[in-house]
Amino acid sequence: SIVTDQLRPYLPGLFSLTVAAYPAHAMHIQSGALAVVDVLCETASLTASLVWYLHERKVIMHMLDDLKELSGFESEEDLGMDLEGGDGGMHSMHSGAQRGDGDGGKTRRDSELVQGLEAEARGAWVAATKAIVLLVTSSCRHSPALLGDLEQSNGYVLMTHLLCRSTGANVAVLLDQVLKLVSVQPSRGGRGSTGANLRNPVAGGGGSGG
């Protein structure tokens, strides 16, 4: 739509707001950004050219990186250790919650980002996952490019980690999001098609291309 095209330069920033870590007093920013993303995706405002723009800007990859940081995992190695039953991942999660004690006399409430298990308890993991799933599944009406970006960035591994470490009602919500993701039917190509193998729908024609 015309409105969405006008907002295009601001969309990467909007999506980043849904997966960022915030101090406790500012977590309403994430929920507000998620509400906007929900409207954007559910009203079919995404277009093929916009999906390709988000693919070229590596928006999904950046969102997954931010979600990894929000969940308290600092590297792919941490994720692997966690899924294998080691304690490396948990160490990273707890160290994120403990960071900054005695930081110049500032209180955690005022200065520290909510990450790791505390972010999980406050629903931040769920909100961030919802934003990613909304964007990917909505974009599949036009192209599997963003789904391919998620696969290339080990998004399924990260979401498996989130499920393993979530508690209470958050487990059911995250499972629902993962099911939506794995059951989506892209408009072109199979689930194995990555964004790198697709043609730009704006620049490319209808042929097979070379």
Side-chain angles (χ1 to χ4, degrees):
S1 68
I2 296 177
V3 174
T4 307
D5 288 339
Q6 291 175 338
L7 294 175
R8 176 178 298 198
Y10 308 101
L11 291 179
L14 170 64
F15 290 119
S16 71
L17 291 177
T18 65
V19 291
Y22 298 95
H25 67 273
M27 293 188 69
H28 62 280
I29 297 174
Q30 184 190 38
S31 58
L34 176 60
V36 176
V37 169
D38 189 22
V39 172
L40 178 69
C41 294
E42 295 298 335
T43 56
S45 296
L46 293 180
T47 62
S49 62
L50 182 56
V51 169
W52 194 263
Y53 169 78
L54 296 174
H55 162 67
E56 290 183 325
R57 293 295 300 270
K58 302 184 185 301
V59 167
I60 289 296
M61 296 179 181
H62 292 314
M63 291 177 76
L64 289 170
D65 284 342
D66 287 345
L67 177 53
K68 196 182 306 177
E69 183 175 340
L70 175 66
S71 65
F73 277 67
E74 299 171 354
S75 68
E76 294 292 337
E77 184 177 336
D78 284 340
L79 279 175
M81 292 178 68
D82 179 51
L83 294 176
E84 292 169 9
D87 63 355
M90 288 301 293
H91 171 75
S92 294
M93 294 172 74
H94 287 301
S95 65
Q98 295 169 356
R99 233 175 259 134
D101 289 342
D103 181 15
K106 295 181 180 179
T107 65
R108 170 172 172 74
R109 181 172 54 191
D110 292 335
S111 64
E112 283 297 299
L113 299 178
V114 176
Q115 294 173 295
L117 294 176
E118 184 179 355
E120 187 278 328
R122 290 174 175 265
W125 293 9
V126 166
T129 302
K130 281 183 175 180
I132 292 172
V133 173
L134 264 171
L135 178 55
V136 171
T137 56
S138 298
S139 72
C140 283
R141 291 192 293 258
H142 305 286
S143 165
L146 299 188
L147 180 62
D149 290 342
L150 182 137
E151 292 173 339
Q152 286 186 323
S153 301
N154 293 323
Y156 292 120
V157 175
L158 176 56
M159 291 185 184
T160 299
H161 143 66
L162 297 179
L163 275 170
C164 290
R165 293 305 184 193
S166 291
T167 58
N170 289 340
V171 176
V173 179
L174 283 173
L175 181 59
D176 179 65
Q177 294 301 308
V178 172
L179 289 176
K180 288 179 180 179
L181 189 61
V182 299
S183 62
V184 68
Q185 296 295 323
S187 63
R188 300 198 307 270
R191 186 171 302 279
S193 298
T194 62
N197 296 326
L198 300 175
R199 291 172 59 88
N200 185 327
V202 176
S208 58

